[in-house]
Amino acid sequence: MYRFLPLLFVAFVSTTAMAQVHRMEHRDSSMTERVYNLNPVVVTGSGHHQRLKSTTTPVSVLSAVEMKEQGITTLDGALTRMMPQLSMAPSSMGSFLRLNGLSGKYILILINGQKLTGDISNNLDLNRINMSRVKRIEVLDGAASSLYGSDAIAGVINIITDQPTSQLVSLTSNTRLSGEGQITESVNLDIFTNGFGSYTTYTRDQADSYQTTDREYLKGSDTETQPTIAPLFTGYRSDILSQKFTYSPFSQLALNAGIDYSYKITDRPNTQPDITGGTDYEMRYKGLRWNVGGIYKFTDRNSLQASFTTDRFRYGKEYDVETKTYQIGDYVQSKKQRAHEADVKAILGLMKGATTIVGMNWRQDFLRATSGNIDEDAQTYAAYAQHDAKWNVGNGFVAATLGLRYTWHETFGNHFTPKLTLMYAPGNFRLRATYSAGFRAPGLDELYYHYFSVNRGKAQIIFGNRDLKPEKSHYFALNAEYRSDFFSIGLTGFVNRVNDMVVRQDIDVDAAKLAMLQTEFPEMTADQAAKLERYSLYQNSDRGLVEGLQLNLSANLFQGFNLSAHYACTYARSKSGEQWTVLERSIRNAATIAANYHHSWRGYGLNVNLNGRLQSKTYYTAYEDAPGYGIWNLLTTHTFEMVRWALIEPSIGVENIFDRVDSRIDSSKRKYALYSPGRMLVVGLKVKFG
């Protein structure tokens, strides 16, 4: 029955909300906060602060209030619970993030506009992101290289953090616990006085490994099974320590500096002699990121911004089982990445109703990989400009954005990426048309990899390709939107064409290729060589094509009650030669729904949130497609304001109310999309002083 619920919610929102738009005239302070969220300030689409209804480029926004209402403490939870165009699959090799069918290497993840570095097999380690400071998350669909350069082909996820300035000293502790050992704890200490701010955070996030079935098929059989301890979800322990300083000696100048240290290690079952599925080692990750920056405001509409960021990330294997080669506690580094980036831009209001951005960017990426003895780097220089203009027409206005970026890449030379958006805005309606170009330089690993590893007794081999061509994309979108204080509805259709997609092609091993591989990797044993069926080589395919439709609804139906529904239909495929193939892990239909009620009495506030994600099957090219599912979660939050300077906020709820589980037996031809262990109780406690 759950598959019909999106239609019921859409109909309910459409009819009830339209009736409420003209009927609601009074609201309390809590309602004012909810109304404000329907038209927040955003920065990602245009590069400067604008109200959501005024920007020419549609942006999806997830606020801190919405994340708090749903008890969200991780980035993957925030994105997948509220944005159906995004999907995530956890793995010890990082999270398999996808946006509109395109993989994580096409998604640019920013923290306050600065790129996050450090990936495992093209999957960023999202546990490095400190969610306790997040003010809002902005998601821009489609190519955005005119402002952001390489990698922004599928879109941009910009994580905006917050530094409070209203209190002298405040201390906040936020704890969340649920089943399978899932614990998140964050502690924030904030100090602000006389223009100086200090913001300190420690976050601990951990989860146990778990299974949904303890059987696996015997090799070569589709009927006989054996016990296994191989987990569906890989457990981990993660720590983040962050420190940020801000200083504003006078109103026109604001300076900032920050440093973030992250540590993560997996927690998998150890190898055992009498059962399969264990591992000899854990994957260990470390990250260190620091940045400095500032903004000088000449006037309210004219400013100069500058920033410099260094990001270091490395990972490897830490052995917890003694082997012929390694002792317990030995660490073998697999990969080390480093990036330096500097950006300077001016935001200028030279004409009435217009904003101009001009800027320059420099970036240098480094890769050091143990396998193949790789030590490579590449530099990129860029200059960009963007002009936003608005003209009043009748009872509305017309707006346009024109942007252009010139990029010189050390390996791939010169590239231009333009952008043009037009918007007609009569009253509360918005009609938008967008064209934007994307550019992605192949990563250093795709160019130079010479990778050999052994996983559960099987050799894994990946070769880079120095003859790769850069990927280019062309994104077209049409958007229609109605947005008022109480109700918004938006419909977007888009096409994203990607030329020369870089894919990892599997190549079957014959006698000649096996001899070559044994020469390239002398550490491969005879037993591993005998089991080797294929290896991988990065190559350019002909092109990729993503076509999609998105529907977004949000309404304040009556005082204290908000309902939102989002739907994404995506058809993503790639072409090599004359053959079209559905993109790996793409999803045709997905929807997210959230209903929230909040009310306050004297000294006590109640918030009740029901949210769900529904999606159709997940496509795999070389494996069995994973079935669709529907997951519903319920959370209640209770706020007690004991005194003016203290707040206690316990929460309790249920995740996966209807106990949906994918308990299919694992096999060499099977992958998963639903990773939930089943129904779980979740409890939380937030305490704030100051």
Side-chain angles (χ1 to χ4, degrees):
M1 178 180 176
Y2 66 81
R3 64 182 182 273
F4 298 109
L5 289 175
L7 299 177
L8 296 175
F9 272 85
V10 168
F12 183 59
V13 170
S14 301
T15 55
T16 311
M18 289 303 293
Q20 292 292 331
V21 166
H22 302 290
R23 202 166 56 204
M24 298 176 67
E25 298 179 354
H26 304 287
R27 56 184 184 270
D28 61 15
S29 59
S30 60
M31 186 63 182
T32 302
E33 180 182 29
R34 173 57 64 188
V35 169
Y36 174 79
N37 286 339
L38 294 185
N39 188 31
V41 173
V42 294
V43 68
T44 306
S46 61
H48 60 95
H49 291 88
Q50 286 183 300
R51 287 292 183 185
L52 185 60
K53 68 187 297 183
S54 299
T55 180
T56 58
T57 305
V59 177
S60 300
V61 182
L62 178 59
S63 69
V65 172
E66 292 170 298
M67 288 184 277
K68 170 189 167 185
E69 290 168 349
Q70 296 193 23
I72 293 171
T73 57
T74 61
L75 181 62
D76 56 347
L79 297 177
T80 57
R81 286 195 185 187
M82 295 297 292
M83 298 181 180
Q85 68 269 40
L86 281 148
S87 63
M88 197 98 58
S91 166
S92 61
M93 300 303 291
S95 296
F96 291 99
L97 177 64
R98 303 195 81 85
L99 174 57
N100 291 318
L102 293 173
S103 66
K105 67 180 181 180
Y106 300 103
I107 306 169
L108 184 60
I109 296 183
L110 308 174
I111 300 176
N112 296 317
Q114 304 301 313
K115 182 179 179 179
L116 180 68
T117 300
D119 69 277
I120 310 102
S121 299
N122 287 318
N123 300 296
L124 285 173
D125 180 12
L126 301 180
N127 286 99
R128 297 184 66 199
I129 298 172
N130 179 9
M131 292 295 293
S132 69
R133 290 283 182 195
V134 174
K135 183 178 182 180
R136 64 182 184 275
I137 299 173
E138 300 178 5
V139 176
L140 172 63
D141 291 281
S145 291
S146 63
L147 267 182
Y148 299 107
S150 181
D151 300 348
I153 284 182
V156 177
I157 300 173
N158 195 4
I159 298 152
I160 311 296
T161 62
D162 189 26
Q163 290 81 43
T165 59
S166 59
Q167 295 168 305
L168 176 62
V169 180
S170 67
L171 178 65
T172 305
S173 170
N174 200 345
T175 307
R176 181 184 185 273
L177 300 89
S178 61
E180 304 298 341
Q182 298 180 31
I183 302 173
T184 304
E185 167 66 29
S186 64
V187 179
N188 295 349
L189 174 62
D190 303 332
I191 302 171
F192 184 81
T193 179
N194 297 323
F196 171 80
S198 172
Y199 307 95
T200 308
T201 301
Y202 169 72
T203 299
R204 171 77 171 201
D205 183 21
Q206 66 182 56
D208 295 338
S209 295
Y210 57 76
Q211 300 174 298
T212 53
T213 176
D214 61 357
R215 308 291 296 180
E216 67 176 4
Y217 286 109
L218 291 171
K219 183 175 177 61
S221 173
D222 292 328
T223 56
E224 295 184 80
T225 65
Q226 64 182 2
T228 180
I229 56 174
L232 171 66
F233 175 89
T234 301
Y236 63 89
R237 304 186 305 275
S238 173
D239 298 278
I240 303 175
L241 182 61
S242 303
Q243 175 64 55
K244 183 168 185 178
F245 297 105
T246 62
Y247 181 55
S248 181
F250 47 90
S251 60
Q252 289 86 4
L253 180 64
L255 305 173
N256 66 82
I259 187 168
D260 298 271
Y261 170 78
S262 61
Y263 174 91
K264 177 184 174 182
I265 189 166
T266 59
D267 187 13
R268 301 182 289 190
N270 292 343
T271 301
Q272 298 182 22
D274 56 344
I275 192 169
T276 67
T279 54
D280 296 337
Y281 57 85
E282 304 296 345
M283 299 301 299
R284 193 183 82 184
Y285 319 96
K286 288 185 179 182
L288 181 65
R289 176 185 175 93
W290 64 267
N291 65 281
V292 294
I295 177 172
Y296 182 81
K297 291 186 177 181
F298 301 96
T299 67
D300 288 341
R301 299 191 62 228
N302 295 275
S303 62
L304 181 66
Q305 301 180 17
S307 65
F308 179 83
T309 303
T310 290
D311 202 349
R312 300 170 182 264
F313 179 76
R314 64 180 180 179
Y315 75 90
K317 304 169 183 177
E318 184 175 294
Y319 282 80
D320 48 16
V321 173
E322 185 175 344
T323 69
K324 294 180 180 179
T325 309
Y326 300 106
Q327 301 296 315
I328 295 175
D330 285 351
Y331 173 75
V332 179
Q333 184 168 290
S334 299
K335 184 177 176 181
K336 184 177 181 179
Q337 292 171 280
R338 185 171 86 254
H340 305 302
E341 183 171 14
D343 191 83
V344 178
K345 71 177 180 180
I347 301 176
L348 307 171
L350 302 177
M351 295 180 290
K352 184 177 181 181
T355 301
T356 303
I357 297 176
V358 292
M360 294 182 295
N361 180 273
W362 166 80
R363 182 177 177 88
Q364 186 170 18
D365 290 281
F366 299 83
L367 170 65
R368 180 176 295 172
T370 304
S371 182
N373 195 28
I374 299 167
D375 190 358
E376 301 287 345
D377 69 281
Q379 292 193 73
T380 305
Y381 295 88
Y384 56 93
Q386 180 171 288
H387 183 69
D388 296 329
K390 183 172 72 173
W391 304 271
N392 293 324
V393 177
N395 66 336
F397 63 89
V398 173
T401 299
L402 178 62
L404 180 65
R405 187 184 189 97
Y406 164 73
T407 302
W408 179 83
H409 190 280
E410 184 176 353
T411 306
F412 299 105
N414 304 305
H415 295 276
F416 290 92
T417 47
K419 172 184 177 179
L420 174 63
T421 63
L422 299 172
M423 179 173 72
Y424 175 51
N428 287 327
F429 289 93
R430 301 290 183 268
L431 301 173
R432 300 179 175 96
T434 299
Y435 164 75
S436 56
F439 160 73
R440 178 181 176 271
L444 293 174
D445 51 353
E446 294 170 325
L447 292 170
Y448 302 111
Y449 243 17
H450 190 267
Y451 179 81
F452 175 83
S453 181
V454 179
N455 184 22
R456 297 179 185 175
K458 293 183 179 180
Q460 295 178 321
I461 295 175
I462 306 171
F463 284 104
N465 185 350
R466 302 189 185 201
D467 296 325
L468 290 175
K469 295 180 287 187
E471 300 169 276
K472 299 178 182 178
S473 70
H474 301 279
Y475 176 80
F476 305 88
L478 295 174
N479 168 265
E481 180 184 85
Y482 175 86
R483 186 176 294 274
S484 71
D485 286 343
F486 306 104
F487 172 70
S488 70
I489 178 171
L491 181 66
T492 302
F494 68 88
V495 176
N496 200 357
R497 302 179 185 274
V498 186
N499 297 323
D500 297 318
M501 291 188 76
V502 176
V503 298
R504 204 167 77 182
Q505 182 173 341
D506 289 333
I507 299 175
D508 292 332
V509 174
D510 56 22
K513 290 186 174 65
L514 182 59
M516 178 272 293
L517 295 173
Q518 288 177 310
T519 302
E520 292 286 334
F521 303 101
E523 65 268 36
M524 182 166 54
T525 66
D527 183 57
Q528 292 164 357
K531 296 178 181 178
L532 188 63
E533 298 176 353
R534 60 184 63 90
Y535 67 96
S536 298
L537 172 68
Y538 285 107
Q539 292 184 342
N540 289 105
S541 69
D542 286 352
R543 68 182 189 209
L545 178 63
V546 181
E547 300 166 305
L549 186 70
Q550 295 179 8
L551 175 65
N552 298 290
L553 297 155
S554 186
N556 296 308
L557 298 181
F558 53 82
Q559 183 169 313
F561 184 76
N562 174 266
L563 186 62
S564 62
H566 309 280
Y567 168 73
C569 177
T570 308
Y571 186 28
R573 51 204 168 122
S574 65
K575 183 181 182 183
S576 293
E578 296 301 319
Q579 182 178 359
W580 284 97
T581 305
V582 177
L583 284 181
E584 185 88 352
R585 297 182 183 271
S586 62
I587 300 164
R588 189 68 55 85
N589 299 284
T592 59
I593 301 166
N596 192 83
Y597 174 74
H598 61 281
H599 187 78
S600 59
W601 294 266
R602 189 167 186 175
Y604 169 71
L606 171 67
N607 191 93
V608 182
N609 186 279
L610 175 68
N611 65 84
R613 180 182 176 93
L614 305 96
Q615 69 177 49
S616 58
K617 68 180 180 181
T618 302
Y619 293 95
Y620 290 92
T621 53
Y623 303 91
E624 174 186 316
D625 294 336
Y629 62 85
I631 293 288
W632 293 92
N633 310 293
L634 176 68
L635 184 73
T636 65
T637 305
H638 311 266
T639 304
F640 299 91
E641 192 169 349
M642 311 301 292
V643 291
R644 266 182 66 183
W645 48 268
L647 178 144
I648 298 177
E649 198 168 72
S651 59
I652 186 169
V654 179
E655 291 188 338
N656 195 352
I657 297 172
F658 300 109
D659 200 23
R660 302 292 183 187
V661 176
D662 187 349
S663 56
R664 294 174 300 153
I665 297 177
D666 191 14
S667 75
S668 60
K669 294 292 184 181
R670 182 163 293 159
K671 292 288 185 179
Y672 296 83
L674 175 59
Y675 291 83
S676 172
R679 185 186 299 116
M680 294 188 298
L681 177 70
V682 55
V683 295
L685 178 64
K686 178 180 179 180
V687 180
K688 181 176 181 179
F689 301 97

